Amino acid sequence: QVQVVESGGGLVQPGGSLRLSCAASGSKFSINGMGWYRQAPGKQRELVATITSGGSTNYADSVKGRFTISRDNAKTTVYLQMNNLKPEDTAVYYCNAIFAWRTYWGQGTQVTVSS
């Protein structure tokens, strides 16, 4: 069974940094891509950043220049380096992984940006 596990969330002051990690495992198939999404209270889940198996990245306009998505050599672990965090970044961050074009989601990790 495929498992997707996030870690690294927490409380940080505005302007601070945080690094999230996500590990995907259990699939017989090669990974197609991984990504980070977030959902704030009362809001819909939105895309933050994605990375394909080929290494191409995509970012939401709201995080460009501040967040960086990266991966390990096996392409089954991704990271989200978040710099210059803003209160608007407060949300539950979810990792997803795509194997054989089926999408799997982690349980999420809370990121709170507050003074």
Side-chain angles (χ1 to χ4, degrees):
Q1 183 175 341
V2 174
Q3 290 183 309
V4 180
V5 182
E6 307 101 330
S7 63
L11 175 65
V12 64
Q13 293 187 335
S17 298
L18 211 57
R19 184 173 184 256
L20 306 182
S21 298
C22 174
S25 62
S27 178
K28 296 181 179 180
F29 304 98
S30 298
I31 196 163
N32 297 120
M34 297 184 74
W36 288 97
Y37 294 72
R38 66 186 181 187
Q39 187 168 24
K43 304 291 184 179
Q44 293 184 316
R45 187 174 298 187
E46 64 176 351
L47 182 148
V48 176
T50 61
I51 186 166
T52 68
S53 60
S56 297
T57 58
N58 183 47
Y59 297 91
D61 288 341
S62 60
V63 306
K64 286 182 179 178
R66 299 188 298 120
F67 292 10
T68 302
I69 187 170
S70 61
R71 66 185 183 188
D72 69 346
N73 188 254
K75 303 179 182 180
T76 51
T77 300
V78 293
Y79 308 92
L80 186 68
Q81 179 65 48
M82 304 184 291
N83 298 325
N84 191 25
L85 284 161
K86 303 175 180 180
E88 307 93 270
D89 296 318
T90 296
V92 176
Y93 283 69
Y94 297 90
C95 177
N96 85 326
I98 303 174
F99 296 92
W101 302 111
R102 292 191 177 192
T103 303
Y104 302 88
W105 292 92
Q107 295 184 51
T109 185
Q110 177 71 47
V111 172
T112 302
V113 184
S114 176
S115 299

